[in-house]
Amino acid sequence: MTALAGFVASNFAIFLLGSILAKYMDKSGATISIANKVLSVVGTKNPYNALVALFIISAILTYGGINVFVIIFALIPMAKPIFKQLNISWKLVTIPVFGGTSTFTMTMLPGAPSLHNIVPSTALGTTLTAAPLIGIVTSIAAIVFLLVFMKFSLSKSLRKNETFNVDEKVESSDATSKRMLPSFIISLLPIIVLLAIILIFSSVSNIIIVALIIAILLSAILFRKQIAQQKEVLNQGAAESVSSTITTGSTIAFGSIATSVPAFKGVFQLIQSIPGPPVLSLMIGTGLIGGITASAVGAIGISVANFAPYYLEMGLDPETVHRAIAIGSGALSIVPYSGF
């Protein structure tokens, strides 16, 4: 209970504001507007181009602080008719969607307004742009790998003559296609402002809260034509933030119990004995915890409390520890029993 309460007290404002911003982007149709623009530029006539377009949309929206669930609910109905028209295997959709939402934009890119970047920042007193060189290099490596893997998976699927074969339950609603969407530039403005504030004023404490508030106020002004009942959007965003805060906090609480048992000391010693530079064992250790808890944020919470002090004593600077923990956390967190 202490661990849960501590996590909620430290992070509830970020969950609340992030959820409200995501709800504004969702209800206004801004996410659809951004997606439509990227799809029109990249094109969807070629199967690989269609996958790349979905990948870019997922990455832009996630790096802009939009909740992953909002992105999935916006993209899946949009992607389905494209896959059906191209007659390519529907299972391939997971690569661009999860590649864009759950890898480099989640833990690697400097300034990302994700919890995976905020939690180590709060715990270690670092900025959201901590260790930018490590973040940029790993992001480039991840993007290259994902694009190559996407091409490989598509080619393999086509060689096996796999086709679009899926139960027609999810279709894009007429309401979404007919409603008046904000323009691409207007839709992108809250995201641009949010990231600009974080990147320019990264050294200011709690800058993420200020940036989110400004992005929400801007959304309220820009999307007033699309959203008649703004109070309803605020209520929905606030209500949805509670369950996600408690769910994530519960993972941290579980971790606090798991790390307090005597057997964990043996696990920790095993992680420390991994050959190579200390940063490598820190990343691998955090990754293993992510696999055990099935939560990247849970792994970060455990790692900053149990691993970080030891590695800081070894001489690693806080920024490197921040980025290593963030990147490592996402490695094994998408396991079959992950709530996500």
Side-chain angles (χ1 to χ4, degrees):
M1 289 304 292
T2 307
L4 174 60
F7 178 82
V8 172
S10 301
N11 298 289
F12 184 65
I14 295 156
F15 272 99
L16 174 66
L17 295 170
S19 181
I20 290 171
L21 177 61
K23 190 57 70 177
Y24 263 106
M25 294 292 288
D26 180 31
K27 292 296 182 184
S28 65
T31 50
I32 304 294
S33 181
I34 293 167
N36 285 341
K37 182 66 175 178
V38 174
L39 285 169
S40 68
V41 172
V42 180
T44 56
K45 292 183 178 176
N46 175 294
Y48 184 64
N49 282 9
L51 294 178
V52 170
L54 290 172
F55 175 61
I56 293 169
I57 295 163
S58 303
I60 290 172
L61 294 175
T62 314
Y63 192 49
I66 308 305
N67 186 301
V68 177
F69 296 102
V70 170
I71 296 167
I72 289 171
F73 286 124
L75 279 191
I76 294 303
M78 184 179 289
K80 213 161 195 181
I82 296 168
F83 273 66
K84 188 176 182 180
Q85 185 183 340
L86 294 168
N87 200 25
I88 54 175
S89 174
W90 178 237
K91 69 182 180 184
L92 293 170
V93 77
T94 55
I95 304 171
V97 171
F98 286 98
T101 59
S102 310
T103 57
F104 66 102
T105 54
M106 185 172 84
T107 61
M108 301 174 196
L109 272 180
S114 65
L115 262 176
H116 312 79
N117 199 24
I118 295 164
V119 172
S121 171
T122 307
L124 299 167
T126 49
T127 65
L128 295 179
T129 53
L133 186 62
I134 297 172
I136 291 166
V137 170
T138 49
S139 294
I140 292 168
I143 291 166
V144 170
F145 172 81
L146 284 160
L147 290 173
V148 171
F149 180 68
M150 210 149 53
K151 184 74 174 171
F152 168 78
S153 300
L154 176 63
S155 300
K156 185 180 175 185
S157 175
L158 293 173
R159 279 199 308 272
K160 289 168 75 176
N161 293 319
E162 291 178 341
T163 57
F164 181 87
N165 183 21
V166 69
D167 184 19
E168 295 293 332
K169 282 181 183 174
V170 183
E171 288 296 336
S172 56
S173 66
D174 290 336
T176 303
S177 55
K178 286 178 184 175
R179 68 175 164 166
M180 185 180 67
L181 299 175
S183 70
F184 172 67
I185 298 297
I186 296 293
S187 301
L188 211 55
L189 261 178
I191 290 176
I192 292 169
V193 170
L194 175 74
L195 291 173
I197 293 170
I198 291 170
L199 294 171
I200 295 167
F201 303 102
S202 61
S203 57
V204 178
S205 60
N206 291 322
I207 191 61
I208 180 66
I209 292 175
V210 177
L212 283 168
I213 290 171
I214 292 171
I216 289 167
L217 291 172
L218 190 61
S219 298
I221 296 165
L222 294 174
F223 305 141
R224 63 190 183 280
K225 289 181 181 177
Q226 284 77 25
I227 302 173
Q229 299 293 326
Q230 297 212 9
K231 187 178 177 182
E232 192 180 315
V233 171
L234 291 168
N235 285 339
Q236 285 179 0
E240 288 176 16
S241 69
V242 176
S243 59
S244 54
T245 311
I246 298 298
T247 304
T248 309
S250 299
T251 310
I252 305 283
F254 160 68
S256 72
I257 302 295
T259 53
S260 65
V261 299
F264 182 75
K265 289 179 181 175
V267 174
F268 188 39
Q269 286 170 353
L270 195 67
I271 290 165
Q272 289 170 308
S273 65
I274 293 170
V279 71
L280 183 66
S281 62
L282 174 59
M283 291 176 86
I284 292 172
T286 307
L288 290 172
I289 298 296
I292 293 165
T293 60
S295 165
V297 179
I300 290 169
I302 294 165
S303 195
V304 292
N306 295 278
F307 297 170
Y310 173 79
Y311 284 93
L312 289 169
E313 279 180 25
M314 285 178 68
L316 282 181
D317 67 281
E319 288 207 352
T320 304
V321 171
H322 168 145
R323 192 57 58 202
I325 287 174
I327 294 169
S329 69
L332 295 174
S333 57
I334 308 252
V335 282
Y337 51 94
S338 167
F340 175 67

